[in-house]
Amino acid sequence: MSYVKVWADHEQLNKNEINKLKKDGLSIFEDIPKYARDGFESIPKDQYMYFKYAGLTVQKPQDKGLFMMRVKIPTGILNAEQAEVLAEIGHDYGRDILDITTRQSIQYHWVPLEKLPEIFDLLKKVDLTTSEAEGDAPRNVVGNPLAGIDRDELFDTRPTVNEIYRFFQDNPDFSNLPRKYKISINANIYNAGHAEINDLAFTPASKVVDGKKVLGFHVKVGGGLAAKPYLAEQLNVFVAKDQVRNVASAVTTLYRDYGYRKSRARARLKYLVADWGIRKFEEKVLELTGPLPSAGKDETVGWNGGFFFGAHPQKQDGLNYVGISVPVGRISSGDFSKIAGLAKQYGSGELRTVNSQNLIIPNIPDRALNDLLAEDIFKKFPVHPTPFTGYAMACTGNEFCNLALTNTKDKMEEIAARLDREVDLDVPVRIYMVGCTNSCGQRHIADIGIQGLKLRTQKGELVDAYEIFVGGTLTGGGHFNERLKGRIAASLISDVLKDFLLYFKKEKEKGETFFTFKNRLGTEKLQTVLDDILKAATSERE
Amino acid sequence: MELYRLIASTEEGEIPIVAAAESEAEAFRIADREIQHHYLKKPKITDIALIQRKSIGKNGAGYLIRPRESYE
């Protein structure tokens, strides 16, 4: 460690901070082999928090010695060996299930404590890690899943992602941050890295310097969703590719040294940015980096929601990528292995994870494309998914998460499948479901967000229920969706959404997206539509 | 013990309620009790929703009660 913990003598540090001063989170890797040998009962409860730094969360029920485990995949790129090992771990240790997360990571459940050392060995052999996939540290670096092959990228971000990942990974100078810290590095002009919801985001930009156009990045800071969502704000700087590490280090140092450590509920970077204001934050960054050019031309032209379905030509002539739908991001290890096998058989073996919880097989030669697309697996995981199932996302839900009040993944799949059968649209509608007020399933930026709750009806029944939110986006800097009044029992939610979307179908203009439609009609109008639907649905049941 | 945040819906608007309870069912019972206790003339409750749950650790737990923003 080559820095002074300037907060160490602060009087009002939260409990986690006091613990982190005594013991660095990364030291948990030294303890895990002993705990694995001696059993779950040997772990003092005050050590649970450190497991996060190894990408592990004690899974409920908390006395069974099972963990949720997350593996980082920077910008979502896996080689063949890595993909095979991830499938193998799911099969051997994770009850055959892999979840693709909204940060392009892979998440497992039911991982037994005693197996962790051998899992870590397997991951290490293929240069993968769970380290800092959770905890108060830099999380997986998200980015363009098409980096290096993308016709819509300003330049290849793979070297930059790799540099930043290696710089921060297990770096003791940055392993004790006030809270989780999310970095996005993307040069796709359709904002594939979801810049505005990250703590630190590098976005595609250009600037004319000495008469020559230079490609690089703009920088946004302080974004995040959760219960108090905040859209990242832009610094007035242009960052050449060779300056990214310098800027990332400066922003992260400011967060480490000035970020709030009194309350964990007020510790994300967004609170510091909100208090300082973006200009003061920028001044502080420049004090650390030295002078940087002012912002140039923003090259972002829109937002694709992180969806890349279908077969498309790469920037390399004669090669193609194939975007595959994985409904709500959940896939069996056998199916993951099959897809990894196809990537090897038809492509280069590379497989990519997407922040919309889907997969991409890159590097398919023109001559092999039709044969690949004829494979049976794409009946189950389509490359041209239906407008609802293909664009649905869900958080973990109450199956594994202690905060969630309702099921999400199964319910979302069930609703989307019905909508696909009964509502025929000319545009996709992004529906994201979460089980609590946090936003692990990115509910705030969905066309239609669904949030779970428990409802006691007038008849005294206690049922799962949902509230719906309309009109979220990251287009044009972003807008969070807005709640419509009315709580919808789980037994009614698919009926209600079906009628709501049939109204959208009837009233929309050709090619009009849900976001444009919502802005044209207004939230108040959609509220009256929902009120009528709810009234009719409820009276039908009575 | 957990701390639950509930909202009772009435024709006049929403009533925020906080309950410390061992289970969701108990949280609803506490909400009922508090509504009974608080109002001389009980408002017509359309429904009661449980929208958030927090564990009560050694340092306690709490909610800040204010009207919800449109995105909440």
Side-chain angles (χ1 to χ4, degrees), chain A residues 31 53 144 167 180 189 268 304 378 388 459 483 493:
Chain A
D31 303 333
Y53 292 82
N144 182 9
F167 174 67
K180 66 176 84 167
I189 59 174
R268 288 286 298 275
N304 60 16
F378 299 120
F388 295 104
K459 289 178 184 169
R483 186 180 66 256
I493 183 79

Side-chain angles (χ1 to χ4, degrees), chain A residues 15 228-229 402-405 437 443-444 453-456 458 462 467 469 480-483 487, chain B residues 7 9 14 24 28 32 44-53 59 66 68-72:
Chain A
K15 194 175 135 194
K228 190 73 194 168
N402 294 316
L403 298 172
L405 295 165
T437 52
R443 183 274 287 166
H444 293 97
L453 51 88
K454 290 280 190 219
L455 182 72
R456 203 187 54 194
Q458 279 176 303
L462 184 57
E467 287 184 317
F469 300 71
F480 297 132
N481 49 25
E482 294 164 41
R483 186 180 66 256
R487 299 181 187 106
Chain B
I7 291 176
S9 301
E14 295 187 333
E24 290 168 355
F28 279 99
D32 282 339
K44 187 170 183 289
I45 307 285
T46 320
D47 61 42
I48 301 182
L50 191 168
I51 62 165
Q52 210 173 349
R53 172 174 62 201
N59 294 327
R66 54 157 183 70
R68 289 195 287 171
E69 303 281 353
S70 65
Y71 56 77
E72 289 179 288

Side-chain angles (χ1 to χ4, degrees), chain A residues 190-328:
Chain A
Y190 294 99
N191 195 7
H194 295 186
E196 292 78 9
I197 58 171
N198 281 270
D199 292 285
L200 168 62
F202 291 90
T203 65
S206 63
K207 187 170 174 83
V208 176
V209 180
D210 298 330
K212 195 181 159 199
K213 186 180 176 184
V214 179
L215 303 181
F217 296 99
H218 283 164
V219 181
K220 291 188 171 187
V221 293
L225 294 177
K228 190 73 194 168
Y230 197 77
L231 294 163
E233 292 184 69
Q234 190 166 314
L235 303 177
N236 183 20
V237 295
F238 176 79
V239 181
K241 290 174 219 171
D242 62 0
Q243 284 294 309
V244 171
R245 194 173 102 173
N246 186 21
V247 172
S249 174
V251 171
T252 314
T253 300
L254 287 175
Y255 180 46
R256 182 192 69 198
D257 293 347
Y258 295 95
Y260 302 138
R261 294 175 185 262
K262 180 178 166 186
S263 160
R264 289 184 64 72
R266 193 180 166 73
R268 288 286 298 275
L269 179 62
K270 59 190 171 187
Y271 294 101
L272 182 66
V273 173
D275 279 351
W276 278 7
I278 196 68
R279 293 287 80 88
K280 178 178 171 183
F281 195 91
E282 184 182 295
E283 282 167 24
K284 292 282 190 184
V285 170
L286 291 170
E287 279 174 21
L288 294 178
T289 58
L292 291 170
S294 60
K297 183 183 173 218
D298 201 330
E299 297 283 358
T300 301
V301 299
W303 183 50
N304 60 16
F307 294 98
F308 300 91
F309 297 129
H312 304 277
Q314 295 179 189
K315 66 157 77 162
Q316 297 86 0
D317 285 344
L319 291 178
N320 306 272
Y321 72 85
V322 176
I324 307 162
S325 168
V326 180
V328 297

